[in-house]
Amino acid sequence: MSLAPTLAAPHRLSVAPMMDWTDRHCRAFHRHLTRRALLYTEMVTADAVRFGDRARLLGFAPEEHPVALQLGGADPAAMAEAARIAEDFGYDEVNVNVGCPSDRVQSGRFGACLMREPELVGRVVAAMRHAVSIPVTVKCRIGVDDQDPGSALDALADAVTEAGCRTLVVHARKAWLQGLSPKENRDVPPLDYGRVDTLKAARPELTVVLNGGVQDLDAAQTALDRGLDGAMLGRAAYQTPWVLADVDRRFFAAPPSELDRHAVVEAMADYAARARRDLGTPVKSIARHMLGLFQGLPGARAWRRHLAETMPDPEAMPGILTEAAARVAPERRAAA
């Protein structure tokens, strides 16, 4: 059963959908660090959901709730069918990708290029909302190429809210579809937080979540202090995952976590053993998401080195996680 209805404002802090990163094993790891943050899948195309291996593409553990599926596509009927399948799988939300600038996405006429077709995005959202009872949300940019960010973002917001979307996640950069790689599109176009703040001020009833350049929890809190409804961490959550350990206390009024990083490693070693046994998952598929766990601590390099040397072996056992963690001194808790 989904946990999302029991949580207040799950969008207050979320972890971004990231291709090749936020798979089910990454989400299992992140869920050991935060029980409340909203987690997203990697983007999956509507046709992959409709015609592909659904168990592999959509499968997740009940412990991952609240969890949202991000869909890529531009055909209203196909997106509606994929949304129905997502709801049947138990996802708490389905999100429409209107922000990815990759060539593959452009060739399929979805992702960031849909910023140029807000009416089509509105039809997609309307069809999906008619098909499911879970929330349908949209993740977008502030514009693409030579679009004016003011009119581009307003046009998209008008179209999706008229279709019934109540939550818009805004990556506060333009996407340049020609001339910049997807990686460069994450850094090179300048951030424009003011444009996102203006959107929220003009539409106080809309849940507006900030994405892009949110490097830590202080930056996330600053977004909320400015009046936004939430912040979405991307690479910061992946590369320095321990930042998530204080999310529940700071953003959801939960008691401080009792876990330390070594306890998380032990829990993930148990998870890796189950995944290896039940799914045939190699340990590497899990360990690769954990390389940044001890970032900033003495021994972090030894942790990463041991995993880098051992996890490529397809026969590697989950014990390599605890072996690597033994190279890092236990954390000392501050006196109460």
Side-chain angles (χ1 to χ4, degrees):
M1 178 181 295
S2 168
L3 300 183
T6 70
L7 303 180
H11 290 94
R12 280 177 62 81
L13 199 292
S14 55
V15 177
M18 292 178 282
M19 290 298 294
D20 299 322
W21 288 5
T22 51
D23 62 18
R24 65 184 299 173
H25 307 304
C26 177
R27 298 193 305 269
F29 170 47
H30 285 171
R31 194 50 82 206
H32 280 291
L33 304 174
T34 168
R35 291 299 307 155
R36 303 296 184 88
L38 178 61
L39 304 181
Y40 283 81
T41 69
E42 306 169 87
M43 183 192 71
V44 184
T45 67
D47 283 348
V49 171
R50 295 166 67 211
F51 305 119
D53 183 345
R54 294 176 187 172
R56 180 181 63 82
L57 292 168
L58 302 183
F60 68 94
E63 293 79 12
E64 292 178 40
H65 288 294
V67 60
L69 174 70
Q70 187 181 66
L71 283 175
D75 178 80
M79 290 287 279
E81 181 181 351
R84 281 194 297 270
I85 294 166
E87 184 173 41
D88 289 345
F89 263 78
Y91 282 94
D92 300 296
E93 170 189 315
V94 61
N95 178 266
V96 182
N97 184 318
V98 189
C100 180
S102 75
D103 292 341
R104 170 173 166 261
V105 164
Q106 291 180 55
S107 67
R109 194 189 167 204
F110 60 96
C113 61
L114 285 175
M115 292 295 299
R116 296 192 182 115
E117 300 186 77
E119 297 83 3
L120 175 57
V121 179
R123 294 198 300 273
V124 166
V125 170
M128 294 169 70
R129 288 198 69 251
H130 182 73
V132 300
S133 60
I134 58 176
V136 176
T137 66
V138 173
K139 186 173 186 291
C140 67
R141 295 280 183 137
I142 61 173
V144 295
D145 297 337
D146 294 323
Q147 281 186 320
D148 171 63
S151 57
L153 187 56
D154 282 345
L156 184 78
D158 286 344
V160 300
T161 54
E162 185 175 346
C165 174
R166 298 291 175 259
T167 300
L168 194 60
V169 182
V170 185
H171 186 153
R173 289 186 174 93
K174 276 189 174 184
W176 289 91
L177 303 180
Q178 301 296 327
L180 292 180
S181 69
K183 181 178 185 299
E184 290 169 329
N185 263 300
R186 294 194 293 266
D187 295 301
V188 174
L191 288 163
D192 187 353
Y193 288 166
R195 183 67 196 87
V196 184
D197 294 345
T198 299
L199 176 72
K200 176 60 184 178
R203 295 172 171 80
E205 76 288 351
L206 182 65
T207 296
V208 178
V209 179
L210 179 69
N211 176 231
V214 182
Q215 297 295 333
D216 53 35
L217 300 189
D218 288 342
Q221 184 61 56
T222 297
L224 270 63
D225 292 343
R226 293 203 313 272
L228 299 178
D229 300 290
M232 176 179 277
L233 297 178
R235 284 168 290 168
Y238 192 88
Q239 295 167 352
T240 55
W242 192 246
V243 70
L244 298 176
D246 203 30
V247 162
D248 295 355
R249 180 189 69 83
R250 288 190 61 174
F251 293 89
F252 298 97
S257 172
E258 295 297 323
L259 283 178
D260 62 25
R261 279 174 258 219
H262 285 81
V264 171
V265 171
E266 292 175 4
M268 287 304 297
D270 290 342
Y271 170 85
R274 295 193 302 273
R276 193 173 189 273
R277 179 193 66 216
D278 298 340
L279 303 173
T281 305
V283 175
K284 178 182 179 179
S285 296
I286 297 162
R288 71 186 185 95
H289 299 301
M290 301 173 62
L291 292 172
L293 178 60
F294 291 99
Q295 185 71 23
L297 294 184
R301 183 176 298 178
W303 151 265
R304 292 193 301 269
R305 182 186 303 117
H306 185 75
L307 291 182
E309 292 173 349
T310 57
M311 69 182 186
D313 182 353
E315 299 302 318
M317 300 298 287
I320 66 170
L321 295 171
T322 51
E323 291 169 3
R327 288 153 170 78
V328 184
E331 298 167 81
R332 295 182 179 178
R333 293 188 180 276

